Amino acid sequence: HVNFLCQGGVFDCTHSPFVIAFSSAGIKGIPSVMNAIILTSAFSSGNACTFLASRTLHGLALDGHAPSIFLSLNRFGTPYVAVAVSVIWGAIAYTGLNQGSSQAFVWLVALATTAGIISWIIYYALVMNVLILIFSGWNSFTPTFNFSSFASNYLNCIIFPILFILCKIWLRDRMPALDAIDIRSELDSIQLEPFEDGHAQEVAFKASLTAYDRFLNAIF
């Protein structure tokens, strides 16, 4: 379990350990600077994760593996429905404001970590990732069995296989044979992309940028 020592000797996750350290040292101004750094970092991370999640949903919808509502685009070409669904999960972060913030933090970290490991289970990485998943929640069994800790560490390991099997049954899909997967054509197309009318695409991209996009590009 990850706990942060907060003011008054109380363990929770509602305070930044960096801010507490500087405040306890009597250093003025630095706590506010740290808060600003943490907020901008969180915003940047949230922006990147929202982009990835929404485009993944849109891509799944294009392949017919997600509801067609995620195909909806606004006039800027943004999959706004997928973005809205991806952003709304950020409300879970508010669970860190109550008295059980430490447990909520552990649940979120465990679920996100387990999901990331599961997404990397492929070929030779399978054995190592399975071992990591097995031992990631070993403290759930010692000294006594802790159901809350067990669920936070292994819930995804139960949900993902069930969803995978249900998806295969629903779509009546079968695992393709390795020799039936055309990897070479895909690699060839990726290598040719930079050389196929690259200049024209760059010009069209720059022309499509709004003033807001140009402002962000100038800063970042």
Side-chain angles (χ1 to χ4, degrees):
H1 290 261
V2 180
N3 295 305
F4 293 134
L5 180 60
C6 300
Q7 294 173 342
V10 179
F11 286 93
D12 64 26
C13 298
T14 59
H15 299 77
S16 167
F18 303 102
V19 173
I20 294 172
F22 288 118
S23 298
S24 299
I27 303 176
K28 297 181 180 180
I30 300 298
S32 298
V33 173
M34 288 302 304
N35 278 330
I37 294 174
I38 292 172
L39 286 174
T40 53
S41 298
F43 177 81
S44 177
S45 177
N47 184 50
C49 291
T50 300
F51 178 87
L52 292 174
S54 60
R55 270 53 180 188
T56 299
L57 275 176
H58 183 68
L60 288 172
L62 288 173
D63 293 336
H65 296 157
S68 59
I69 191 173
F70 295 122
L71 295 173
S72 303
L73 302 174
N74 61 15
R75 62 190 180 94
F76 301 108
T78 302
Y80 62 94
V81 177
V83 171
V85 172
S86 301
V87 168
I88 199 171
W89 288 96
I92 298 177
Y94 287 104
T95 59
L97 297 179
N98 59 20
Q99 294 180 350
S101 59
S102 177
Q103 186 60 42
F105 178 79
V106 171
W107 270 75
L108 291 175
V109 170
L111 292 174
T113 302
T114 307
I117 294 175
I118 290 176
S119 68
W120 282 99
I121 292 182
I122 181 172
Y123 304 130
Y124 298 109
L126 175 62
V127 176
M128 184 58 67
N129 282 328
V130 168
L131 290 175
I132 293 174
L133 287 172
I134 291 175
F135 290 102
S136 63
W138 66 270
N139 58 334
S140 304
F141 305 95
T142 58
T144 58
F145 180 73
N146 187 316
F147 177 78
S148 178
S149 177
F150 174 83
S152 65
N153 284 284
Y154 297 110
L155 184 61
N156 278 344
C157 299
I158 301 173
I159 293 177
F160 273 77
I162 293 175
L163 292 179
F164 180 80
I165 294 173
L166 290 177
C167 180
K168 288 294 182 181
I169 295 175
W170 179 265
L171 298 176
R172 297 179 180 178
D173 190 16
R174 294 182 178 180
M175 295 292 292
L178 290 178
D179 55 2
I181 301 176
D182 186 10
I183 300 178
R184 175 54 55 188
S185 299
E186 185 67 21
L187 290 176
D188 292 340
S189 63
I190 292 175
Q191 293 175 352
L192 290 175
E193 282 181 359
F195 305 100
E196 293 181 349
D197 201 16
H199 179 68
Q201 292 179 3
E202 182 179 358
V203 172
F205 173 74
K206 290 182 177 179
S208 65
L209 293 177
T210 63
Y212 177 71
D213 294 326
R214 289 192 292 270
F215 172 74
L216 291 180
N217 289 337
I219 297 178
F220 301 106

